[in-house]
Amino acid sequence: MSANKPHRHHFLPVFYLRQWAGADQKIVRFTRPYGNVVKPRRVHPDGAGYIERLYAVEGLPDDAKQDLETEFLSPVDSRAADALKVLLEGDDLTQAQRRAWAGFIATLLFRMPSDIAALKENISQLWKMLMPGLEKIYQALPVSGRTEPFEDFFNRTGKGVLAAKAIEGVRSLMGDEDIVRGLT
């Protein structure tokens, strides 16, 4: 994996958390490190609202595993940061800024850890349902077309294709034009 790919995937982006920072440029993050014991700690906004590799997609090549974060969410967040600055200054948003803010809000509807966990679980269940049928199709190929066990073949070829389709679906859902238009 390339060194410039972020591992901290913020479901609450830093620009959004920054507005609650105190004079020390920190916010309070609450954790439960020991069961039900809640511990407050002052951290930079970069140190809260994230999960390591939350949006990483296993099954894709290393350079593409984090594309949902780097190629989709990061640009959405950057445009929304500009819009938030205008909002906080009390100025009117341009149409492009309204659209950027609406696009950001639309991602918040689907990017929380529980949403991503549910999506990953649904995809896992889908794999389990599809695998027997895909294996039967593979086994029906002439022996000369089967150069490796099905599991190896699928892990090498099919998994990445299906993972890429899943990410495409998530991006489509988060950036759904009807949702964004409804929010502008």
Side-chain angles (χ1 to χ4, degrees), residues 13-174:
V14 175
F15 84 88
Y16 190 68
L17 294 173
R18 194 174 286 133
Q19 64 190 316
W20 289 286
D24 62 355
Q25 301 300 304
K26 293 182 178 181
I27 61 173
V28 178
R29 179 182 72 188
F30 295 93
T31 61
R32 285 189 287 174
Y34 311 109
N36 288 329
V37 177
V38 176
K39 295 282 188 177
R41 182 173 173 214
R42 294 195 61 75
V43 298
H44 183 274
D46 188 41
Y50 74 89
I51 292 179
E52 295 284 332
R53 300 173 47 84
L54 175 63
Y55 307 118
V57 180
E58 297 309 317
L60 291 178
D62 284 347
D63 62 342
K65 282 183 179 183
Q66 299 187 72
D67 280 358
L68 180 61
E69 170 71 14
T70 60
E71 304 298 319
F72 179 70
L73 290 171
S74 183
V76 165
D77 293 349
S78 292
R79 291 186 298 270
D82 294 338
L84 179 60
K85 184 178 178 206
V86 172
L87 284 170
L88 292 175
E89 290 171 354
D91 294 331
D92 291 334
L93 295 176
T94 65
Q95 186 59 32
Q97 291 166 330
R98 286 174 57 88
R99 187 163 177 72
W101 188 250
F104 168 67
I105 297 298
T107 69
L108 289 180
L109 298 172
F110 304 105
R111 76 194 282 181
M112 294 298 126
S114 59
D115 300 322
I116 299 302
L119 174 70
K120 288 181 177 180
E121 178 58 27
N122 289 341
I123 290 170
S124 175
Q125 293 301 317
L126 183 61
W127 291 123
K128 289 176 185 172
M129 287 179 6
L130 292 175
M131 290 301 280
L134 294 172
E135 186 167 11
K136 283 180 184 176
I137 293 168
Y138 183 77
Q139 296 302 332
L141 292 174
V143 175
S144 62
R146 291 183 275 138
T147 58
E148 58 194 327
F150 171 73
E151 188 173 322
D152 294 344
F153 169 77
F154 183 74
N155 286 334
R156 186 176 53 78
T157 60
K159 208 171 195 177
V161 170
L162 292 174
K165 288 290 185 191
I167 286 302
E168 184 180 309
V170 170
R171 287 173 92 162
S172 178
L173 187 61
M174 286 184 178

